Amino acid sequence: MEEEMKNTGAFNENAEEMPQPETINENTAPDNTGEQPENRRPLKWLIFFLFLAVAASVTTMLVVKSCHNKDEYAYEYGYEPSDGPVSYNNGKSNIVNPVTREVIVKDIDWCHYSSSNDEDPIVLFAKNGKRGFCNIVTNEVIVEPTTYTKAWVFSEGLAAVEKNGYIGFVNTNGKVAIGFKFSYRGNPLCDFVFHNGHCVVADSSNKIGVIDQRGRWVIKPLYDNIELAKDYAIVYKDGDFKKQIDFEGNVLQDGIIDYINNLYYEVNYADLQTGEQKVGQTKNNDYYEYRVGGYSGLIDGEGGIITPPIYTDIVGITPTLFKAQLQDWTSMVLIDQKGNVLSKVTR
C-alpha cells in the first residue's frame, strides 16, 4: 500500500509541497510590525459609541419630572433616583424619607417637591383627589389629604389651599394662618405664592389686590390685574392706563403703557418704470396705536392721548381716518384723528 501511494504521488517524502491558491487583501493582511489592520479600528470606535448611546438611554430613564397648571398637577412617572422623596413599588407611588427610605405616605396620585426650597423640606401631594403636605425630614403628615381640593407649594412659610372656591393659607404646622376669603374662580390669577412678603389675590367680587403675610390688604382690591415687583406693583384696570403703586398705596407713576405700534394706510402710486398704477402702504408719521393690557388706543406724534385703551385693534385707512375693533372682536367703528366715532359697521 505504501508503495502504491508513493507511485501515485499521494505520498512522496521527496515531492515538493503543492502550493495552495490564496487571495490576499492588502488591507487585511498583517504586516511585520504585529499591529492591528487599519480597517478593524473603525469597528472598535463603532462599538464604543454604541455603548455610550445605551448608557445615555438608561440615564434618561432615571429622570422624574413634575409640572402643574391652574387646575391640576401632572406627574410623569419614571425610575426614582435613590436619594429622592418618592419610591415606586408594584405600580404604586409612595413618599419616603430620602435618607432612611421610611414610607411617610402611601399610594399617592402625584407630588411636587423642590430640593432648592428655602423652607422645611415639605412635599405637596395629591391622594384620592385631595391635597396634603408632609415633611420628609420629620416624617410627619402636616396636612391630611381630606379637605383641600387645590393647593400650592410653600413660599415664605405659607402655602395657599382652596376650599369651596376660596383661597386661604396654611403655615408649616398645617394650621390655617390666613382665612378663606379670596376668590379662586372668575379671575386671571393662578399662582398664589408670596414674593418679598406679598401675594396677589382677589376678593369675593374678583377684584385684585395685594396682601401681606398677615392677610392684610396693602394694595386694595380695585384692579383687574397686578404684576408684582420687589418694592412696588404695576396695577391695571380694563380701559385705563397702568399705574405704579408702592405697598402703602401711593401712586408712584401714572400713564404706563405696554408698547406703541406704527400705523399704515394705503396709497395709490404710478410705477416709475412702467407707469402702471399700483397700491401700496405708507407709514403714518402723525398718529400711532398704543397698547395697554391687551387693548389699543390712539396717540398723536407728540404723545397726546386721543382715545383711552378701549379697542382690541386699530388700523389706518387714510392719514386721518382709522378703523377700531370693539371688545366683542366683531364690531368695528370708524374714528377720526380726534377720536370721534363716525359710524359703526359689523363684519
Side-chain angles (χ1 to χ4, degrees):
M1 175 66 70
E2 183 178 345
E3 184 67 27
E4 182 175 338
M5 291 176 66
K6 289 181 179 180
N7 291 337
T8 60
F11 180 83
N12 190 338
E13 294 177 350
N14 298 322
E16 295 182 1
E17 186 177 7
M18 296 288 290
Q20 297 299 318
E22 181 179 3
T23 302
I24 298 177
N25 187 331
E26 293 180 356
N27 293 327
T28 60
D31 57 21
N32 294 330
T33 65
E35 296 178 354
Q36 293 293 328
E38 289 293 328
N39 68 333
R40 294 183 186 178
R41 293 176 181 171
L43 181 60
K44 284 188 173 182
W45 284 108
L46 178 61
I47 295 173
F48 175 74
F49 285 121
L50 286 175
F51 173 80
L52 289 181
V54 172
S57 299
V58 173
T59 302
T60 302
M61 294 176 63
L62 297 176
V63 175
V64 177
K65 298 182 293 185
S66 66
C67 59
H68 69 90
N69 54 32
K70 177 166 181 174
D71 291 320
E72 192 56 271
Y73 283 76
Y75 197 83
E76 183 174 330
Y77 295 97
Y79 295 98
E80 177 66 21
S82 61
D83 61 347
V86 180
S87 69
Y88 304 97
N89 186 16
N90 297 325
K92 300 292 185 178
S93 302
N94 306 320
I95 299 177
V96 299
N97 184 301
V99 177
T100 66
R101 309 308 291 172
E102 178 181 349
V103 175
I104 304 171
V105 185
K106 294 182 178 180
D107 302 340
I108 63 170
D109 300 331
W110 52 259
C111 73
H112 184 84
Y113 169 73
S114 173
S115 59
S116 62
N117 197 345
D118 59 357
E119 309 297 330
D120 291 337
I122 297 175
V123 175
L124 163 64
F125 66 91
K127 183 174 180 177
N128 299 325
K130 299 291 186 178
R131 308 296 188 259
F133 295 92
C134 69
N135 189 310
I136 59 173
V137 170
T138 64
N139 296 355
E140 177 188 8
V141 177
I142 61 175
V143 174
E144 294 286 350
T146 56
T147 303
Y148 304 124
T149 52
K150 298 287 183 293
W152 287 257
V153 296
F154 270 87
S155 59
E156 301 182 0
L158 296 170
V161 289
E162 184 264 343
K163 183 175 67 173
N164 299 326
Y166 285 88
I167 297 292
F169 293 83
V170 297
N171 59 26
T172 54
N173 294 320
K175 305 298 182 181
V176 175
I178 302 175
F180 295 87
K181 54 185 177 181
F182 309 111
S183 180
Y184 174 60
R185 301 292 183 182
N187 58 73
L189 303 181
C190 61
D191 293 322
F192 300 95
V193 293
F194 277 86
H195 299 282
N196 300 302
H198 300 104
C199 182
V200 179
V201 291
D203 67 2
S204 58
S205 66
N206 282 314
K207 288 299 181 180
I208 297 173
V210 178
I211 60 171
D212 63 14
Q213 291 177 311
R214 296 176 63 181
R216 300 174 302 185
W217 294 105
V218 294
I219 295 179
K220 293 182 180 181
L222 303 172
Y223 304 98
D224 295 305
N225 213 338
I226 293 180
E227 302 168 11
L228 279 183
K230 182 180 179 181
D231 299 316
Y232 61 86
I234 301 297
V235 301
Y236 169 71
K237 289 182 180 179
D238 289 344
D240 198 359
F241 293 95
K242 292 183 176 181
K243 297 178 182 179
Q244 181 187 25
I245 297 182
D246 66 18
F247 296 118
E248 294 182 356
N250 300 311
V251 177
L252 304 179
Q253 188 164 271
D254 203 347
I256 299 174
I257 64 176
D258 292 330
Y259 54 89
I260 294 177
N261 291 329
N262 291 321
L263 290 173
Y264 297 85
Y265 57 91
E266 291 185 353
V267 293
N268 296 318
Y269 69 96
D271 187 284
L272 295 178
Q273 295 182 345
T274 64
E276 180 183 357
Q277 290 293 316
K278 294 186 176 181
V279 178
Q281 287 194 332
T282 187
K283 178 176 172 295
N284 194 323
N285 293 316
D286 297 318
Y287 301 99
Y288 301 86
E289 175 197 32
Y290 69 92
R291 301 280 292 178
V292 182
Y295 294 100
S296 298
L298 190 66
I299 188 173
D300 64 28
E302 297 181 353
I305 301 300
I306 298 174
T307 71
I310 56 175
Y311 303 109
T312 57
D313 191 27
I314 295 178
V315 178
I317 298 177
T318 71
T320 57
L321 183 64
F322 308 91
K323 179 174 63 176
Q325 188 175 57
L326 302 183
Q327 295 181 20
D328 59 50
W329 296 93
T330 301
S331 301
M332 294 177 291
V333 294
L334 297 177
I335 58 176
D336 62 17
Q337 75 276 20
K338 296 182 179 181
N340 299 316
V341 175
L342 304 181
S343 66
K344 185 175 181 179
V345 296
T346 302
R347 284 189 295 191

